Amino acid sequence: MGTRRKRTDAQRNLESLLEAAKAVFMTSGVDAPAKEITDLAGVGVGTLYRHFPQRSHLIKAVIEREIDACADAGPALAAEHTPATALARWLDRLTEFVATKRGFAAALHSGDPAYDGLSAYLMEKLAPALGSLLDTAVTAGEIRPEVSPQDLLYAVAKLCTPLPTEEPDHGRRMVTLIVDGLRTGNTSAAPPFANPGRSGPVADRRE
């Protein structure tokens, strides 16, 4: 029982650290002080370094966790919404993940070997999830068939690259235009990307 309890506590601490790191990275960037993360997680700094000796290990773990959560969201969205709306909401979730993680892009392009394989992991997890949503929407006649999961994943990554001359919501608005362009016109559902301060059919609409 003692060993099992220790494993349970260790897993709980790990989940708390990853959730705290996710929140801190969003507000303070990936170079935020370790104590800011551990205070939010309710653990000691030693626990953080025991799980993640290098900051790059923590960043990679947070990204992989977010990728997994995004992939896992596909079936639930498909069960709750029409095919085109499920696709749009999934892309909205992916866009939020890519666009709001301050400093992730710079970290991933730093040449640190800790990030080796992360791009392949993203494609391995997200391409099948997106492909399933696309196939369902195409079969339903709600989405044009000439786009691949890889096309959309690369497009989201490119469009969500921060631009110093644009407001933070720029990437999400551009992805909205892509989703709008993919629709066949056989569905009246508007893409669910809220865009405060602008007029037009971009308000959130649940089906």
Side-chain angles (χ1 to χ4, degrees):
M1 289 294 292
T3 301
R4 182 179 302 174
R5 175 63 180 272
K6 288 180 181 178
R7 289 175 179 171
T8 300
D9 290 345
Q11 184 61 35
R12 186 182 301 115
N13 288 340
L14 176 60
E15 289 298 319
S16 296
L17 280 169
L18 290 174
E19 190 62 29
K22 170 188 170 183
V24 169
F25 289 167
M26 287 181 66
T27 57
S28 302
V30 297
D31 295 321
K35 194 172 186 305
E36 185 176 350
I37 297 171
T38 56
D39 284 353
L40 185 59
V43 301
V45 174
T47 301
L48 172 63
Y49 288 116
R50 192 157 53 246
H51 285 287
F52 306 105
Q54 302 294 329
R55 179 56 62 100
S56 57
H57 299 158
L58 177 60
I59 295 171
K60 182 178 181 181
V62 170
I63 294 175
E64 289 180 341
R65 186 171 182 261
E66 288 294 286
I67 290 171
D68 291 344
C70 192
D72 293 342
L77 289 171
E80 295 174 5
H81 304 284
T82 62
T85 300
L87 173 64
R89 288 179 181 271
W90 191 89
L91 287 171
D92 186 28
R93 178 175 182 142
L94 175 64
T95 300
E96 183 178 12
F97 162 56
V98 175
T100 61
K101 303 302 181 287
R102 295 177 57 189
F104 273 11
L108 294 178
H109 291 91
S110 66
D112 192 317
Y115 303 123
D116 289 350
L118 197 54
S119 294
Y121 184 84
L122 184 146
M123 279 295 176
E124 176 187 341
K125 289 286 187 175
L126 297 189
L130 178 53
S132 178
L133 292 168
L134 271 174
D135 288 345
T136 302
V138 168
T139 300
E142 297 180 6
I143 292 292
R144 293 159 52 187
E146 61 265 30
V147 66
S148 72
Q150 289 79 9
D151 289 337
L152 277 180
L153 290 174
Y154 285 130
V156 169
K158 292 290 187 182
L159 291 172
C160 291
T161 300
L163 297 175
T165 58
E166 295 291 345
E167 68 271 28
D169 201 43
H170 177 261
R172 298 185 76 181
R173 290 193 289 107
M174 294 303 98
V175 175
T176 298
L177 293 178
I178 288 182
V179 175
D180 237 357
L182 288 174
R183 294 178 184 271
T184 61
N186 296 331
T187 175
S188 60
F193 301 105
N195 187 14
R198 291 176 179 264
S199 59
V202 294
D204 190 353
R205 182 184 304 174
R206 182 183 177 91
E207 296 200 1

